[in-house]
Amino acid sequence: MEAITIGTAEGIDAIHQRLSNEFRYLQQEGVHVRIGQHHQGSLQFLNCALEEESSPAGLDLLVRHTVAHALSDHIVDQCEGELIRKIIDSAYHYFTPEEQDQILSYTDRTLNGPPGSPPRLKVGRKSQILHRLRDYLDGADELVLEGFLTFRLRDYVEELEDAVDRAVDDFLMEREYLEFVRLLQYFVEVQEPRIDKVQVVMRPGGLFRLLDESGIAVRSEHLEEFMVEMVESEVNWEDLLVSALITLAPNAILIHGASLATWDDSLETIKRVFGDRVVLCEDCPLCPSGAVGIDGGL
């Protein structure tokens, strides 16, 4: 077989290690591949060729596919992060280094899901790249990695660019949300509590009840005036609950039914704004069992 030559401007040692690991599996089957190395200008090259004593027909294709497999792993595991960093540096250079690091983390979540997610999305990208590499190496003996990324994997690079753009949107939304939370924290800190303790009974469907420490529906002139204004402006129940608690600014908040998924976002905001004033009830008679309603007004 003709030697397969892989060239790159950087990362030659990592590619060499990938190829060596893949060829080690072939060696266990009696197939021996020799890897040579040389440089030309700014590029480093690896030459992969079967040793003469292990060159039966058909092994040429096997070696080419093995090289493709090693390169697809290298591109996603090694090059992808560097490509994303370059995209951020180019398109969003006006963010600070710390902000760019955060955008990088958001991009990783966009591409691969939350931490601990199955690697399904990453495996899908590797599979896509593997097929392109196989098709290319079936008819070519030389591949320069940077050129292949630019001209043969343009759709993959565009996928990374789109992921960065979505990550920036998420980052900006999160930053606005944190600024909003800080503003609410300030409101809570500067105003006098209008009630010592509030019990929040969360209901399925986004409804809730506000009770005092004795279990009686909260009645407050300030709250009732506020509620009329809020309901007339068609604010949703989640926003209504957060705003009502800000208005009352209680010293303690006991939340029943916190496990209801409907309230995940609002509950996170309440915990951030009120901090250690918030206590979650694990299980009690007030915790909802499916009933819907707003007894006693709120």
Side-chain angles (χ1 to χ4, degrees), residues 109 112-121:
R109 273 181 279 177
N112 301 313
S117 299
R120 176 178 54 85
L121 296 174

Side-chain angles (χ1 to χ4, degrees), residues 133-160:
L133 285 164
R134 282 180 172 177
D135 289 343
Y136 180 82
L137 289 174
D138 281 349
D141 296 323
E142 182 172 304
L143 180 149
V144 175
L145 187 60
E146 289 77 11
F148 189 81
L149 283 165
T150 300
F151 299 108
R152 300 282 181 149
L153 290 180
R154 184 57 207 165
D155 53 343
Y156 165 67
V157 175
E158 288 176 351
E159 180 183 354
L160 300 184

